[in-house]
């Protein structure tokens, strides 16, 4: 089945450590996105990539980094510079088409807890 | 400023009762409008979307939403809820996938 796979589902980190969240899609979508979700808040865009080897900052990129070396993969690194990294992280993808706004397809998320 | 407001943080309805979840938005032009649903610990799934045409939009799982330009609203409705509808519901607006603004969500509980 086509879809988006995020791993790990749960991750614990000590303060000062970098962690990398994996996101893989087999939908053949060009665009991929990372969102952060906090309790009682909507989703906020961290980074997005519309094509391989290119990515753009979203609304809350500070303390995060990404790469897009392959179409299928868009890993997110939460660095030690991120002051409040405990959150639920969602990866999404879409297939841009001219003349319409494409649907976002989401993975099941990764919950990061900083101890 | 562009924004999405879901005024109800938590709603409880009885199984079989009708449901309406409110969404109001502020946007420069008529944007694309969406409703997504999220089960606990899961990603989001698209219920329906609107950009133009008929202002009453049908979605999956028996949901519908009505766009009212004069009220800047896009409320989600279902005539009869099922226990499996318990989830968090997000309204979203945008002009491109990288410019979608999500509301803060409404958690729906179902009373047996």
């Amino acid at each position: 089945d086509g879809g988006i796979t995020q791993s790990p589902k749960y991750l614990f980190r000590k303060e000062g450590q970098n962690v990398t969240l994996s996101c893989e899609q087999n939908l053949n979508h060009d665009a991929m996105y990372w969102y952060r979700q906090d309790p009682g808040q909507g989703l906020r865009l961290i980074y997005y990539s519309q094509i391989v080897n290119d990515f753009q900052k979203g609304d809350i990129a500070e303390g995060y980094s990404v790469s897009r070396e392959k179409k299928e993969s868009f890993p997110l690194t939460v660095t030690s510079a991120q002051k409040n990294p405990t959150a639920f992280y969602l990866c999404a993808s879409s297939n841009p088409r001219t003349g319409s706004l494409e649907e976002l397809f989401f993975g099941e998320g990764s919950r990061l807890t900083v101890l | 400023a562009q924004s999405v407001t879901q005024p109800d943080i938590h709603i409880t309805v009885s199984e079989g009762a009708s449901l309406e979840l409110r969404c109001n938005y502020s946007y420069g032009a008529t944007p694309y409008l969406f409703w997504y649903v999220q089960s606990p610990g899961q990603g989001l799934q698209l219920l329906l979307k609107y950009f133009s045409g008929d202002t009453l939009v049908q979605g999956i799982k028996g949901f519908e939403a009505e766009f009212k330009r004069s009220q800047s609203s896009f409320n989600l409705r279902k005539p009869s809820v099922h226990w499996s509808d318990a989830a968090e519901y997000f309204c979203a607006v945008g002009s491109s996938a990288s410019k979608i603004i999500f509301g803060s969500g409404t958690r729906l509980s179902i009373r047996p």
Side-chain angles (χ1 to χ4, degrees):
Chain A
D1 282 4
I4 298 179
T5 301
Q6 290 187 238
S7 63
K9 196 169 179 66
Y10 299 96
L11 185 61
F12 297 89
R13 184 193 101 174
K14 293 183 180 178
E15 281 194 27
Q17 289 181 335
N18 292 355
V19 293
T20 297
L21 307 180
S22 169
C23 178
E24 303 279 332
Q25 56 102 356
N26 60 5
L27 299 169
N28 199 33
H29 286 173
D30 288 317
M32 298 186 73
Y33 311 82
W34 274 105
Y35 288 91
R36 172 181 171 138
Q37 185 178 22
D38 295 284
Q41 297 189 34
L43 279 65
R44 293 181 289 168
L45 183 63
I46 304 172
Y47 267 98
Y48 65 99
S49 168
Q50 295 182 311
I51 197 168
V52 173
N53 292 324
D54 186 53
F55 48 82
Q56 307 295 327
K57 292 182 178 179
D59 300 318
I60 55 165
E62 185 176 350
Y64 300 97
S65 66
V66 293
S67 63
R68 187 84 186 278
E69 297 176 1
K70 298 187 300 182
K71 186 176 184 177
E72 302 79 20
S73 179
F74 191 41
L76 173 74
T77 297
V78 184
T79 75
S80 57
Q82 167 52 233
K83 291 182 173 47
N84 185 19
T86 294
F88 191 54
Y89 291 88
L90 286 161
C91 180
S93 71
S94 70
N95 200 24
R97 298 189 302 273
T98 57
S100 76
L101 180 51
E102 64 278 15
E103 173 186 350
L104 290 170
F105 291 81
F106 285 86
E108 295 194 342
S110 294
R111 185 167 299 281
L112 172 62
T113 303
V114 174
L115 304 173
Chain B
Q2 298 162 358
S3 65
V4 180
T5 302
Q6 293 181 248
D8 303 307
I9 297 173
H10 183 205
I11 285 181
T12 300
V13 300
S14 297
E15 189 167 16
S18 63
L19 171 71
E20 182 168 26
L21 302 182
R22 296 183 291 166
C23 173
N24 292 95
Y25 67 90
S26 173
Y27 209 82
T30 301
Y32 289 91
L33 298 156
F34 306 84
W35 276 99
Y36 282 87
V37 61
Q38 183 182 35
S39 298
Q42 302 292 313
L44 278 69
Q45 180 184 20
L46 181 69
L47 286 175
L48 48 79
K49 70 177 182 182
Y50 171 82
F51 178 65
S52 64
D54 192 345
T55 56
L56 186 62
V57 183
Q58 301 298 320
I60 62 171
K61 305 186 181 189
F63 285 92
E64 65 179 27
E66 185 171 13
F67 169 60
K68 292 185 177 180
R69 184 189 305 274
S70 61
Q71 299 177 18
S72 296
S73 70
F74 190 55
N75 294 349
L76 182 71
R77 301 195 295 247
K78 186 169 185 178
S80 175
V81 297
H82 186 261
W83 63 266
S84 60
D85 293 324
E88 186 133 24
Y89 292 80
F90 292 93
C91 181
V93 303
S95 58
S96 67
S98 61
K99 292 180 171 60
I100 290 179
I101 304 168
F102 286 85
S104 55
T106 297
R107 184 160 62 93
L108 174 65
S109 298
I110 306 297
R111 190 184 301 118

